[in-house]
Amino acid sequence: MAFYKYIKPTLYALSIQDIPYEELKKQGIHTLFFDLDNTVMSYDETLISKENIQFLNDLKTTFKIIIVSNSGYKRVSKASNHAKLEFIHSAKKPLKTGYKKALKKAACTKDKVVFIGDQLITDVYGANKMNIVSILVKPVKLRSDHFFTRTNRKIESFVIKKMFKNHSNLVTDALKAYAKDIYGL
């Protein structure tokens, strides 16, 4: 049962643009960690779109932003440097390693940061284990998922179904909305 408590996102949004950043700011959040693949850009893209670069640059006037990705150096550095964003590559989410590196790079404490990502098993689970607030977003383009991510999504679907059936007391509105959008549950 302990596992299930860690896969509950605090909030669910359809995209990074739909997150209530003003509310986060009012709550004292000053740092945002973003997953890269299928959160900020689809996996079949190599660069962050001009629209998302502008959006993230606007956010940088209020928040410190760091990309925290499981992808390798070449992919993450190309996308992040193009957008002039700091990054952690090969983060090994859901392990704590990448989150700790990002906290150190940001020079902030866990209570001042939010992690934004598109996967329960890596992004949300890892952030929650670190006691970092997690926001789950609908994947940019599911069909572009890498092999490992497709595997994670199959596990995720199984876990959500089991959670709905056996641990309904842990199911949040955010998780219900995500399950409906992604898996039709």
Side-chain angles (χ1 to χ4, degrees):
M1 178 116 116
F3 169 75
Y4 293 106
K5 75 177 185 177
Y6 290 115
I7 60 167
K8 297 186 316 184
T10 303
L11 183 69
Y12 171 67
L14 292 177
S15 73
I16 61 171
Q17 289 87 357
D18 296 315
I19 294 168
Y21 295 102
E22 283 301 315
E23 285 299 314
L24 296 177
K25 182 180 172 185
K26 288 177 188 174
Q27 294 170 14
I29 300 299
H30 60 69
T31 304
L32 304 172
F33 295 163
F34 284 91
D35 173 52
L36 181 65
D37 295 316
N38 261 336
T39 298
V40 174
M41 63 186 226
S42 69
Y43 196 82
D44 58 5
E45 295 175 301
T46 56
L47 297 175
I48 298 170
S49 69
K50 289 180 183 178
E51 175 189 31
N52 278 349
I53 290 173
Q54 182 60 54
F55 179 75
L56 293 169
N57 281 331
D58 290 346
L59 282 178
K60 280 175 26 179
T61 63
T62 306
F63 299 98
K64 180 162 187 68
I65 295 176
I66 299 178
I67 299 293
V68 182
S69 176
N70 281 351
S71 288
Y73 176 80
K74 185 176 178 181
R75 176 169 175 73
V76 179
S77 65
K78 183 175 182 178
S80 299
N81 288 335
H82 174 72
K84 297 183 172 83
L85 296 169
E86 293 184 66
F87 64 91
I88 302 293
H89 66 90
S90 307
K92 300 177 183 168
K93 297 176 292 179
L95 301 177
K96 294 180 179 183
T97 309
Y99 300 96
K100 288 179 180 179
K101 286 180 184 178
L103 285 166
K104 186 174 181 179
K105 183 173 275 222
C108 73
T109 57
K110 298 173 191 180
D111 60 323
K112 302 295 180 192
V113 66
V114 167
F115 190 93
I116 301 159
D118 70 300
Q119 290 186 69
L120 285 174
I121 303 296
T122 54
D123 303 322
V124 171
Y125 180 66
N128 288 346
K129 279 181 49 180
M130 286 288 298
N131 292 315
I132 294 173
V133 171
S134 60
I135 297 178
L136 185 63
V137 295
K138 184 176 181 179
V140 172
K141 186 177 173 187
L142 271 174
R143 291 186 179 165
S144 72
D145 274 345
H146 187 269
F147 170 77
F148 294 112
T149 305
R150 286 193 309 267
T151 302
N152 279 347
R153 292 211 196 276
K154 287 177 184 176
I155 295 167
E156 187 178 274
S157 173
F158 172 79
V159 167
I160 290 171
K161 288 175 186 173
K162 188 170 180 172
M163 193 170 174
F164 279 25
K165 182 178 179 183
N166 300 326
H167 304 286
S168 59
N169 60 315
L170 297 175
V171 177
T172 61
D173 289 342
L175 191 56
K176 286 178 189 175
Y178 176 75
K180 182 179 177 191
D181 281 350
I182 304 305
Y183 302 111
L185 301 175

